[in-house]
Amino acid sequence: NEDKHLLDAFYVAFEDNFRGSYEDILHRLKVYLPIIEEAKVGTPDAPILDIGCGRGEWLDLLRDVGLTAQGVDLNRVMVEQCQAKGLEVLEKDAIDYLRSRPDASLGAVTGFHIIEHLPFVVLLKLFDEVVRVLKPEGLVIFETPNPQNVIVSSHNFYIDPTHRNPLPSALMKFVAESRGLFNIKIIDLNPYPEQFRMTGSELAEQFNTRFYGSQDYAVIGYKI
């Protein structure tokens, strides 16, 4: 069925234009390296799986620090770009691929700006499969746009025509807990630069939080 690939080239150009350059995203993702290193995953017997790996920034970063990781993505153009760089990437649906994995076979599952593309029932299935394939003390990291930022939730989120609906962090914390993850953490990320911020009053600070605060957040959970 080639219809599912009709937007592949368009979406590559879209990401280049709206998400940021490869180098920008690579730099932003470095915030997760200490978390991965502390969990002692990314070894041959506890590899990392990045779902919806896109252009491969995260996989590139993991390879540079000597960690074992692979990715899956449905976008054929992006998969070919990753493979051309020597990254281990498969053209697979994330849930189908997870279902093919044995129980407790992965050290971590990551996904950056993926979960907001999924119908809610599919999102729950994704969490269930992730929990099943994680080793004890393995972790999941999912990053998504932050709807507490008014500019994000009212405008920026909808620039991507494949987004479904914003996912509040309180909801995702509850989802992670309800599917069997523990020690859930929410990390706010990527606020607007300082020059956007207003000063001079408590009201200005509240405005900064709602309009110029974190544009993204990550939900992080662990399997006991």
Side-chain angles (χ1 to χ4, degrees):
N1 182 4
E2 291 300 307
D3 285 351
K4 65 183 181 181
H5 295 294
L6 290 177
L7 291 178
D8 285 3
F10 168 84
Y11 204 75
V12 173
F14 174 88
E15 288 239 317
D16 290 343
N17 188 77
F18 287 101
R19 190 173 180 214
S21 70
Y22 192 94
E23 292 73 21
D24 288 341
I25 301 304
L26 193 75
H27 178 72
R28 289 182 202 169
L29 292 173
K30 289 179 180 178
V31 69
Y32 298 108
L33 285 179
I35 299 169
I36 291 292
E37 291 168 357
E38 183 180 5
K40 296 181 173 57
V41 296
T43 60
D45 63 336
I48 299 165
L49 175 68
D50 188 36
I51 63 173
C53 61
R55 299 177 298 189
E57 298 97 336
W58 178 233
L59 294 175
D60 230 348
L61 193 58
L62 294 172
R63 180 173 63 178
D64 286 348
V65 296
L67 298 179
T68 301
Q70 65 178 160
V72 294
D73 203 293
L74 286 173
N75 188 305
R76 183 173 293 167
V77 176
M78 290 181 171
V79 169
E80 291 174 352
Q81 289 178 347
C82 288
Q83 291 173 344
K85 291 185 291 187
L87 299 172
E88 185 179 346
V89 174
L90 301 173
E91 186 188 322
K92 295 280 187 180
D93 174 82
I95 294 180
D96 288 346
Y97 180 72
L98 287 167
R99 285 174 174 163
S100 74
R101 301 274 321 192
D103 294 355
S105 59
L106 293 172
V109 177
T110 59
F112 303 99
H113 292 257
I114 292 301
I115 57 176
E116 66 273 13
H117 294 261
L118 304 178
F120 190 68
V121 172
V122 176
L123 178 62
L124 295 181
K125 291 178 181 178
L126 173 64
F127 268 86
D128 288 342
E129 287 301 316
V130 166
V131 172
R132 182 186 65 80
V133 301
L134 281 178
K135 290 177 174 290
E137 301 184 12
L139 76 156
V140 58
I141 301 173
F142 287 141
E143 181 181 301
T144 190
N146 182 12
Q148 285 188 310
N149 182 308
V150 174
I151 297 175
V152 171
S153 60
S154 65
H155 178 264
N156 294 354
F157 184 88
Y158 299 99
I159 294 174
D160 189 330
T162 65
H163 281 176
R164 296 186 68 88
N165 53 271
L167 299 167
S169 59
L171 169 64
M172 292 314 304
K173 183 176 186 293
F174 177 78
V175 167
E177 291 172 341
S178 72
R179 310 326 279 187
L181 294 170
F182 298 87
N183 193 20
I184 312 299
K185 299 175 183 176
I186 300 295
I187 300 178
D188 291 328
L189 300 159
N190 307 319
Y192 277 80
E194 281 295 324
Q195 61 262 33
F196 286 89
R197 301 178 70 85
M198 302 174 65
T199 60
S201 69
E202 182 180 341
L203 179 61
E205 285 306 312
Q206 293 180 13
F207 185 90
N208 290 336
T209 299
R210 291 300 180 188
F211 285 84
Y212 299 135
S214 300
Q215 299 174 77
D216 308 298
Y217 74 87
V219 55
I220 300 171
Y222 295 81
K223 181 177 178 178
I224 299 300

